[in-house]
Amino acid sequence: MLVLSRRKGESIVIQDHIEITVLEVEGDVVKIGISAPRDIEILRKELVVAVKESNRESAAQQIDVAGLAAKLKKIKKNTEKL
């Protein structure tokens, strides 16, 4: 991990396309601005972690295929009556 010190108003540039600027420092909160091309997705890490955890939980769930098939047959029968 590269560690840099920056003051308010100072920036770092990543591969000539992404600029990260320190906008404000107040206590232990740092407000940053990010300039990047629109095709580069920028997400807060806690959101990425939450989505990954949600995906893991979804993938771990067991699906009752036989029960689902029975429900679909019941729905099909009900729609055919209409």
Side-chain angles (χ1 to χ4, degrees):
M1 173 188 297
L2 173 65
V3 178
L4 301 171
S5 296
R6 301 280 78 200
R7 291 189 169 90
K8 183 178 174 180
E10 294 181 333
S11 301
I12 62 169
V13 177
I14 301 170
Q15 294 186 348
D16 294 328
H17 302 292
I18 303 168
E19 183 176 355
I20 301 171
T21 305
V22 177
L23 301 176
E24 185 177 320
V25 179
E26 194 170 306
D28 62 347
V29 176
V30 177
K31 191 179 288 187
I32 61 171
I34 304 169
S35 296
R38 291 193 178 274
D39 62 323
I40 295 179
E41 186 173 44
I42 300 170
L43 299 171
R44 292 180 295 150
K45 184 176 179 177
E46 60 269 21
L47 295 179
V48 174
V49 170
V51 168
K52 284 182 181 180
E53 181 60 30
S54 177
N55 288 344
R56 271 191 228 106
E57 289 173 4
S58 295
Q61 291 179 358
Q62 296 295 322
I63 298 173
D64 178 11
V65 176
L68 182 59
K71 288 179 182 180
L72 288 172
K73 284 181 184 179
K74 186 176 180 180
I75 291 170
K76 186 177 178 181
K77 281 184 181 181
N78 289 339
T79 56
E80 288 175 352
K81 291 179 183 178
L82 298 174

